[in-house]
Amino acid sequence: MASASEPTYFIRARQEGRPVVKDLPKFDLDAYIANYRGKTRFDRLLLIGTTSTLLASEALRYAVAEAKQGKDVGRYDMAVAAIHEIIPGDPNATPDVAWREKINKQIKAESDRLETELKGYKNNLIKESIRMGYDDLGQHFHRTGNLVESVKAFGRMRDFCTTPSHVVIMNLRLISVSIDQGNWLAVQTNVQKLRSPGQQFAEAQRLTAKLSAAMGLALLASGNYKEAAQEFIDTDPRMIQARLDDPADEEAFNEVLTPNDIAVYGGLCALASMDRADLQKQVLDNGKFRSYLELEPHIRRAITFFVSSKYSSCLSILESYRSDYLLDLHLQQHLGELYLQIRSKAIQQYFIPFSCATLAALAAAFDTDEQTIAQELTRMIKRGNLDARIDLVGRMLVAKTVDARSEVHEHALQMAKEYERTAHLRILRMEMINAGLEVAEKGKTPGAGGILLEHAGGEREYRGPSVANFSGENLARSLRSGLRG
């Protein structure tokens, strides 16, 4: 039940089915948000402010301050609207009209200046100047929140790219804007262009970590957890050495995510989509991803427990971090499905060695009660994730038995029928050849030879070379004639 002091915003959000976090997360907000820069910093603060009842006030104030440091008036309005609804009495709940007008004037002046310069470059017909003009205009639109115009400007750079490095820069710009738009199909398309085997970009080789991270995010957003896990696992560990506080460091990608995020996203997607053998081989024994797992030891412990069949310990660790992950920009919408798949897979793996197991034993193994585990098993059976049945009288889960002997017999009979059919067709073909019939392939002209058919009573008839010219009766007569000959 909601406390009396809880803002009505969160009460309404809970009634509408939106996630609301009442527990304090394990991270410190200041230390957490200091790892990010750019638009993702604001987006994460706004998400925390509109999801966590305990951090709402602090996060929304930070979001307003972050918005006023940039030139995106739309994001500032979003932060002010949120703080007005959640904390109506806060001074930041009143829009700063003077600041908004000042920024709008600056944006218009800068847009006019850049467009005028671009027109001059076009008149001079210098490709490099035109490309740089579109690049400056696209970055300006991106900073001010006009993402549609930003995509258009960056896309128009394509005709004026004269070197492979220009193509790489253009695609990276489009990837960044597409991530902010949530256009994950565009992210995948631009990553694939840089990975295209037909075009080898030497500059792109240095950016493999960014490309893997961006592709992993796109696949995670589309619910393709197995391929997303593979992308995160294959991310080059060079990103770990990047200086997050230095915007000039090309290895840093903290305008989107950090190395810690790669460890968490990759670990959760792997747990949800891989079996124990793959987790051991591709995750724990992976030298690249091990460097990331060292940044988030609890993810490594959870995977280790899963591989060791200690499912209760694994699920307990994940449950203790649920609040943190519900406040993550890219995990929030997928956390319920990820946790459901991890738990379902744990139950499947636990039940594999048994022909039957009591509900009490299953409940004890997964730290729950019999009624809850029975409901989970019912959902899994209905979804086709568990090939078993529940004995409600004996309070047991019973695996479906397969009669291996009957399967072998059925397989042998099927093979015998196939052999008999193949032998019959081969004998028929041999007899047709012996009878002098020529079978023309479809779409090809038959040879010049004809076929002499002998009917009953000694009457003979000449037909063309294609067997398609014969009726079934004449063909049978021809075969009999050939056999008698």
Side-chain angles (χ1 to χ4, degrees), residues 32-33 35 61 103 149 156 245 255 272 348 351 425 439:
Y32 170 77
I33 208 63
N35 293 323
R61 291 191 185 102
I103 294 300
E149 292 300 322
R156 288 167 183 157
D245 57 346
E255 67 271 20
Q348 289 174 357
F351 188 62
L425 292 174
V439 181

Side-chain angles (χ1 to χ4, degrees), residues 37-40 43 75 135 138-139 141-143 147 150-151 154 168-184 186-188 190-191 194 210-211 214-215 217 252-257 330:
R37 60 183 171 87
K39 293 184 178 296
T40 191
D43 291 339
R75 288 175 185 257
D135 190 17
Q139 292 189 65
F141 285 136
H142 192 189
R143 285 192 298 269
L147 301 182
S150 180
V151 170
F154 288 139
V168 172
I169 291 171
M170 178 196 68
N171 281 283
L172 285 177
R173 298 271 197 264
L174 288 170
I175 289 171
S176 179
V177 179
S178 299
I179 289 175
D180 286 340
Q181 280 185 313
N183 187 351
W184 301 110
V187 173
Q188 294 184 55
N190 286 286
V191 171
L194 292 178
K210 288 186 177 182
L211 297 180
M215 181 61 85
L217 271 184
F253 201 36
N254 58 331
E255 67 271 20
V256 177
L257 46 65
H330 300 290

Side-chain angles (χ1 to χ4, degrees), residues 405-423:
R405 185 174 181 179
S406 297
E407 282 192 349
V408 171
H409 287 172
E410 184 178 350
H411 183 63
L413 290 173
Q414 185 64 30
M415 286 182 63
K417 289 179 181 178
E418 288 294 328
Y419 179 81
E420 182 181 359
R421 178 176 177 275
T422 303

Side-chain angles (χ1 to χ4, degrees), residues 123 185 192 234 266 418:
N123 291 334
L185 181 59
Q192 292 294 357
D234 292 338
E418 288 294 328

Side-chain angles (χ1 to χ4, degrees), residues 385-446:
N385 296 333
L386 187 63
D387 192 13
R389 58 185 177 84
I390 301 175
D391 181 0
L392 293 177
V393 177
R395 307 296 293 172
M396 297 180 69
L397 179 67
V398 182
K400 287 187 178 179
T401 57
V402 178
D403 190 345
R405 185 174 181 179
S406 297
E407 282 192 349
V408 171
H409 287 172
E410 184 178 350
H411 183 63
L413 290 173
Q414 185 64 30
M415 286 182 63
K417 289 179 181 178
E418 288 294 328
Y419 179 81
E420 182 181 359
R421 178 176 177 275
T422 303
H424 176 74
L425 292 174
R426 288 179 177 176
I427 292 171
L428 177 61
R429 184 175 184 277
M430 291 169 58
E431 296 299 343
M432 290 174 69
I433 293 173
N434 291 335
L437 295 175
E438 179 183 351
V439 181
E441 294 184 19
K442 185 178 181 180
K444 292 186 179 181
T445 304

Side-chain angles (χ1 to χ4, degrees), residues 27-46 48 58-59 62-63 66 254 258 327:
F27 62 76
D28 176 73
L29 182 60
D30 291 314
Y32 170 77
I33 208 63
N35 293 323
Y36 300 94
R37 60 183 171 87
K39 293 184 178 296
T40 191
R41 183 182 172 97
F42 172 87
D43 291 339
R44 290 174 184 271
L45 284 169
L46 185 64
I48 293 171
E58 186 180 7
Y62 285 169
E66 181 68 24
N254 58 331
T258 64
L327 300 178

Side-chain angles (χ1 to χ4, degrees), residues 60-329:
L60 289 176
R61 291 191 185 102
Y62 285 169
V64 171
E66 181 68 24
K68 294 187 76 172
Q69 289 180 9
K71 293 185 177 181
D72 192 338
V73 177
R75 288 175 185 257
Y76 171 75
D77 291 340
M78 290 169 58
V80 171
I83 203 170
H84 176 75
E85 190 169 5
I86 297 173
I87 321 168
D90 193 278
N92 291 303
T94 304
D96 189 342
V97 179
W99 177 86
R100 183 192 292 165
E101 292 179 353
K102 173 187 171 184
I103 294 300
N104 282 330
K105 288 180 181 179
Q106 291 179 1
I107 291 172
K108 187 178 185 307
E110 183 70 7
S111 299
D112 292 341
R113 183 185 69 81
L114 291 172
E115 289 176 356
T116 302
E117 289 182 355
L118 181 59
K119 288 179 181 178
Y121 297 149
K122 289 181 178 179
N123 291 334
N124 294 333
L125 300 176
I126 302 174
K127 274 194 167 185
E128 177 61 14
S129 298
I130 298 173
R131 185 193 69 81
M132 293 181 64
Y134 276 124
D135 190 17
D136 292 340
L137 193 61
Q139 292 189 65
H140 166 69
F141 285 136
H142 192 189
R143 285 192 298 269
T144 57
N146 194 344
L147 301 182
V148 175
E149 292 300 322
S150 180
V151 170
K152 291 180 181 178
F154 288 139
R156 288 167 183 157
M157 290 170 58
R158 190 181 309 276
D159 295 334
F160 305 96
C161 294
T162 56
T163 66
S165 62
H166 294 165
V167 178
V168 172
I169 291 171
M170 178 196 68
N171 281 283
L172 285 177
R173 298 271 197 264
L174 288 170
I175 289 171
S176 179
V177 179
S178 299
I179 289 175
D180 286 340
Q181 280 185 313
N183 187 351
W184 301 110
L185 181 59
V187 173
Q188 294 184 55
T189 300
N190 286 286
V191 171
Q192 292 294 357
K193 287 179 181 178
L194 292 178
R195 288 178 170 179
S196 175
Q199 300 181 16
Q200 296 297 329
F201 297 106
E203 292 81 358
Q205 299 302 316
R206 298 183 289 104
L207 303 170
T208 54
K210 288 186 177 182
L211 297 180
S212 294
M215 181 61 85
L217 271 184
L219 293 168
L220 170 62
S222 62
N224 194 341
Y225 302 134
K226 187 172 182 62
E227 291 187 20
Q230 201 61 57
E231 290 289 345
F232 288 125
I233 290 170
D234 292 338
T235 303
D236 196 296
R238 69 175 67 185
M239 190 183 291
I240 298 175
Q241 282 78 39
R243 297 186 299 275
L244 300 182
D245 57 346
D246 184 6
D249 193 334
E250 293 185 353
E251 303 296 345
F253 201 36
N254 58 331
E255 67 271 20
V256 177
L257 46 65
T258 64
N260 297 67
D261 294 330
I262 291 176
V264 173
Y265 300 165
L268 291 179
C269 289
L271 278 170
S273 60
M274 296 182 181
D275 57 26
R276 291 162 54 202
D278 288 339
L279 285 171
Q280 180 66 52
K281 181 180 179 181
Q282 299 186 38
V283 181
L284 296 180
D285 295 341
N286 187 316
K288 288 183 179 180
F289 197 63
R290 189 184 302 120
S291 302
Y292 288 102
L293 286 177
E294 290 174 358
L295 302 174
E296 296 289 339
H298 68 281
I299 291 291
R300 178 173 49 80
R301 290 200 306 273
I303 296 174
T304 302
F305 281 137
F306 194 98
V307 171
S308 303
S309 301
K310 298 177 181 179
Y311 304 115
S312 178
S313 300
C314 169
L315 296 174
S316 176
I317 290 174
L318 296 180
E319 194 62 34
S320 67
Y321 280 84
R322 179 184 286 270
S323 298
D324 295 55
Y325 299 154
L326 283 173
L327 300 178
D328 185 273
L329 182 63

